[in-house]
């Protein structure tokens, strides 16, 4: 009776262990149907800020991932057993035919071929399972929807700033380096009025809270207040903007002559300001109305901000303290507060609520130029910087930000939606991103050679009164764009 060698007996024990292990895995897999219910019951007793529907969805997805990997593991064990049996059969055939051991080279070649087949099968199975899981996750996860609605083309140079009127009729205003400011019909995209009273680049535009007046700041070292009267045209039927564009055209190389050809044909022009504010010794980079509209504040490259009386045009206060040029200024919507930004990496909060005391607070948290700082409806200030960060601050605790957003490009003039509390970030790299006040990214506006900005995006502005076109952006590609931003309720839950 033949006696088994030690090696063959050990090999047989290993095979039996693998079979028993495979059977135990199959039994475990058969009981997986009861696991989601048990885990769901356990999660219901745990505290979490996630909505129950989202938690349940994530639980189901991770359960699918676990089952897929268990199936892959079982198939791996079965394929290994097939390879071992194939090698044993090949070795036995070699002994019978040749009367000796099979050559090592031939065995290695066949084993290598079997291993490559196993590897290819595992890769195919893995790709199919993971792609199914990822597509399922994408289909079930709520996303913000961002759609281009209208393009406003007519300026002959880059657009630095834009704003929407606070009263009816609702129009869009733009400030451009071509020394002009334009008012546009939001629905039709047509120019309604042009202001050409400045002798330098128009760097900002803001509208009076209750009257049809606009405030513009310019590189000619002045700020102008001018009145406007516009009549909205009848809205045109929606047109497919992308259908009229050629995919092969590279818009970043367009000639300046193209911009001149796109200028408005018949647009009324105002050339004389109602009020001219002259006190700065440098470029006036920004200006804004204080609450009530009886005073305005201007920010200049002469490192100072000036507070003016609108009716008399007199200088009321000069706000000094910044070490370098100012880049932006903003006023609180309901209180007599002003925030100024500077290239000295700081922004300052000026308090005019008490007529006898004008306090100032310095915010230090950025490492490069603070390009803008804006108020929210609550007690927050949001600041953006060339250091590629955006910080959310609490006015009651100014020592450190309550949220920090880190990006991959310098941030320009930001804006915050009053209704949805969403921050719109325009970037030097032509992108526009949306974040909530907690620093969670919500969306990125689409950009390609068919739509979106083709050069640096300079500014963003929200339109709270028009849901069809509720966000505007402008850039140095000489155009402003209106967007429809739809944020699902699931992403807005706290």
């Amino acid at each position: 009776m033949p006696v088994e060698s030690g090696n063959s007996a050990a090999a047989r024990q290993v095979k039996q262990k693998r079979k028993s292990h495979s059977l135990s895995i199959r039994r475990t897999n058969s009981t997986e149907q009861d696991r989601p219910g048990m885990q769901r019951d356990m999660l219901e007793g745990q505290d979490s800020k996630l909505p129950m529907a989202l938690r349940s969805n994530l639980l189901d997805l991770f359960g699918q991932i676990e089952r897929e990997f268990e199936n892959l593991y079982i198939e791996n064990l079965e394929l290994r057993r097939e390879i071992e049996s194939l090698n044993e059969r090949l070795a036995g055939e070699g002994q019978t035919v040749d009367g000796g051991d099979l050559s090592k080279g031939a065995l290695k070649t066949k084993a290598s071929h079997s291993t490559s087949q196993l590897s290819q099968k595992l890769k195919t199975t893995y790709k199919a399972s993971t792609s199914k899981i990822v597509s399922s996750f994408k289909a079930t996860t709520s996303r913000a929807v961002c759609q281009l609605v209208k393009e406003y083309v007519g300026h002959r140079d880059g657009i630095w700033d834009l704003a929407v009127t606070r009263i009816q009729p609702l129009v869009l205003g733009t400030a451009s380096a071509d020394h002009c400011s334009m008012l546009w019909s939001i629905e039709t995209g047509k120019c309604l009025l042009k202001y050409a009273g400045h002798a330098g680049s128009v760097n900002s535009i803001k509208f009076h809270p209750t009257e049809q007046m606009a405030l513009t700041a310019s590189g000619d070292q002045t700020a102008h207040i001018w009145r406007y009267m516009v009549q909205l045209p009848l809205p045109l039927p929606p047109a497919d903007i992308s259908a009229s564009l050629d995919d092969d055209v590279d818009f970043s190389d367009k000639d300046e002559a193209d911009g001149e050809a796109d200028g408005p044909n018949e647009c009324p022009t105002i050339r004389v300001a109602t009020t001219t504010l002259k006190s700065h010794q440098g470029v006036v980079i920004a200006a804004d109305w204080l609450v009530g509209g009886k005073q305005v504040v201007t920010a200049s490259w002469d490192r100072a901000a000036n507070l003016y009386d609108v009716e008399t045009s007199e200088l009321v206060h000069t706000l000094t303290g910044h070490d370098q040029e100012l880049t932006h200024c903003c006023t609180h919507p309901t209180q007599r507060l002003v925030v100024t930004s500077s290239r000295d990496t700081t922004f300052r909060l000026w308090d005019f609520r008490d007529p006898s005391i004008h306090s100032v607070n310095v915010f230090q948290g950025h490492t490069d130029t603070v390009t803008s700082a804006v108020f929210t409806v609550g007690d927050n200030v949001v600041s953006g910087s060339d250091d590629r960060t955006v910080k959310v601050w609490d006015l009651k605790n100014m020592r450190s930000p309550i949220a920090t957003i880190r990006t991959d490009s310098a941030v320009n003039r930001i804006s915050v939606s009053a209704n949805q509390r969403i921050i719109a970030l325009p970037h030097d790299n032509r992108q526009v991103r949306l974040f909530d006040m907690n620093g969670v990214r919500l969306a990125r506006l689409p950009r390609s050679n068919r739509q979106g900005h083709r050069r640096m995006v300079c500014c963003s502005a929200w339109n709270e009164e028009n849901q069809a076109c509720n966000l505007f952006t402008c850039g140095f590609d000489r155009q402003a764009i209106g967007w429809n931003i739809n944020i699902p309720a699931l992403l807005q839950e706290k």
Side-chain angles (χ1 to χ4, degrees):
M1 182 175 181
V3 179
E4 271 188 337
S5 63
N7 293 335
S8 61
R12 182 169 299 174
Q13 291 178 359
V14 171
K15 292 181 182 179
Q16 292 176 353
K17 289 181 179 180
R18 287 176 177 171
K19 289 181 179 180
S20 62
H21 184 57
S22 175
L23 292 175
S24 66
I25 291 177
R26 290 179 181 273
R27 287 193 297 269
T28 303
N29 191 35
S30 64
T31 61
E32 283 298 317
Q33 298 176 354
D34 301 332
R35 183 179 299 180
M38 297 172 59
Q39 291 182 349
R40 189 175 291 106
D41 294 338
M42 293 174 62
L43 286 177
E44 288 179 353
Q46 298 178 0
D47 294 334
S48 175
K49 295 182 179 180
L50 294 176
M52 183 56 65
L54 180 59
R55 294 174 64 192
S56 177
N57 185 21
L58 290 174
L59 180 62
D60 294 337
L61 291 174
F62 284 119
Q64 294 179 26
I65 294 174
E66 183 180 3
R67 288 191 294 273
E68 290 293 337
F69 277 101
E70 286 185 354
N71 293 335
L72 288 175
Y73 183 70
I74 294 172
E75 291 182 6
N76 189 13
L77 293 179
E78 293 176 351
L79 290 173
R80 285 183 179 179
R81 287 197 299 271
E82 292 179 4
I83 290 176
E84 290 177 357
S85 62
L86 176 63
N87 288 337
E88 291 178 357
R89 186 167 61 253
L90 291 174
E93 292 175 357
Q95 289 177 358
T96 303
V97 175
D98 300 334
D101 294 337
L102 188 66
S103 62
K104 294 182 179 180
L107 183 60
K108 185 182 296 185
T109 301
K110 294 183 178 181
S112 175
H113 180 67
S114 301
T115 305
S116 64
Q117 290 180 340
L118 170 64
S119 176
Q120 186 64 31
K121 185 173 182 179
L122 286 175
K123 288 181 180 179
T124 304
T125 306
Y126 175 76
K127 288 181 179 180
S129 59
T130 53
S131 62
K132 180 176 66 176
I133 295 172
V134 170
S135 61
S136 174
F137 184 78
K138 288 182 178 179
T140 55
T141 303
S142 298
R143 301 285 293 179
V145 178
C146 309
Q147 182 179 5
L148 188 149
V149 178
K150 186 68 65 175
E151 292 180 342
Y152 307 87
V153 180
H155 281 291
R156 293 184 171 90
D157 208 335
I159 304 176
W160 292 117
D161 197 18
L162 79 172
V164 180
T165 56
R166 309 185 196 182
I167 59 174
Q168 297 292 339
L170 291 179
V171 296
L172 173 69
T174 55
S176 172
D178 63 5
H179 301 191
C180 294
S181 178
M182 292 185 179
L183 303 186
W184 308 81
S185 168
I186 294 177
E187 288 77 13
T188 65
K190 289 185 178 181
C191 178
L192 305 176
L193 183 67
K194 178 194 292 187
Y195 178 72
H198 283 291
S201 170
V202 186
N203 300 320
S204 78
I205 181 171
K206 287 291 185 293
F207 290 102
H208 193 277
T210 58
E211 299 183 34
Q212 291 188 358
M213 292 194 298
L215 170 66
T216 51
S218 173
D220 60 10
Q221 303 184 5
T222 67
H224 289 183
I225 298 175
W226 44 278
R227 292 185 175 272
Y228 65 89
M229 291 185 63
V230 294
Q231 184 175 1
L232 296 180
L234 296 176
L236 298 176
D240 187 4
I241 298 176
S242 60
S244 61
L245 300 178
D246 188 358
D247 294 346
D248 299 330
V249 177
D250 185 2
F251 290 93
S252 62
D253 297 330
K254 291 181 70 175
D255 297 330
E256 297 297 326
D258 296 341
E260 298 178 359
D262 294 335
N265 295 327
E266 297 179 0
C267 186
T269 302
I270 299 176
R271 301 186 183 276
V272 180
T274 305
T275 303
T276 301
L277 307 176
K278 301 178 180 179
S279 291
H280 285 291
Q281 303 302 316
V283 170
V284 183
I285 195 65
D288 201 358
W289 303 86
L290 267 73
V291 58
K294 295 182 179 180
Q295 291 180 327
V296 299
V297 61
T298 58
S300 172
W301 284 3
D302 62 8
R303 305 184 182 183
N306 289 342
L307 188 67
Y308 295 93
D309 183 88
V310 174
E311 184 177 357
T312 63
S313 305
E314 292 182 357
L315 177 63
V316 179
H317 293 291
T318 298
L319 312 179
T320 59
H322 283 290
D323 296 331
Q324 295 188 39
E325 296 89 340
L326 273 64
T327 58
H328 190 251
C329 66
C330 180
T331 60
H332 195 279
T334 60
Q335 303 181 59
R336 289 178 56 81
L337 297 174
V338 176
V339 62
T340 56
S341 311
S342 173
R343 294 186 61 185
D344 61 9
T345 73
T346 69
F347 65 95
R348 295 178 176 236
L349 174 65
W350 311 83
D351 191 346
F352 297 99
R353 289 175 292 186
D354 189 344
S356 60
I357 302 175
H358 302 147
S359 62
V360 58
N361 294 287
V362 182
F363 290 75
Q364 296 177 337
H366 290 286
T367 59
D368 206 337
T369 298
V370 181
T371 54
S372 64
V374 298
F375 290 100
T376 66
V377 175
D379 294 328
N380 297 117
V381 173
V382 183
S383 60
S385 172
D386 281 342
D387 64 7
R388 304 181 179 183
T389 66
V390 173
K391 298 179 183 291
V392 182
W393 307 79
D394 188 350
L395 295 179
K396 300 177 182 178
N397 181 12
M398 301 173 292
R399 287 176 292 183
S400 60
I402 59 178
T404 299
I405 301 171
R406 304 187 185 279
T407 67
D408 59 351
S409 179
V411 181
N412 295 313
R413 292 183 177 178
I414 60 179
S415 63
V416 181
S417 170
N419 294 339
Q420 304 183 77
R421 294 176 62 82
I422 300 174
I423 311 171
L425 278 57
H427 291 285
D428 277 357
N429 64 357
R430 303 175 290 176
Q431 302 287 353
V432 180
R433 295 182 174 91
L434 305 180
F435 290 81
D436 66 11
M437 295 293 291
N438 297 319
V440 178
R441 177 175 168 178
L442 301 177
R444 182 184 68 180
L445 301 191
R447 193 198 69 80
S448 65
N449 63 345
R450 297 186 60 176
Q451 64 175 347
H453 288 287
R454 300 178 286 273
R455 292 185 184 175
M456 174 181 69
V457 188
C458 300
C459 180
S460 63
W462 290 92
N463 178 18
E464 309 292 349
E465 303 297 330
N466 190 337
Q467 297 300 320
C469 192
N470 54 3
L471 177 63
F472 297 93
T473 58
C474 65
F476 230 65
D477 53 1
R478 308 188 298 274
Q479 70 171 344
I481 300 178
W483 305 86
N484 174 255
I485 308 299
N486 183 13
I487 305 297
L490 183 61
L491 293 181
Q492 300 184 46
E493 292 182 2
K494 304 298 181 185

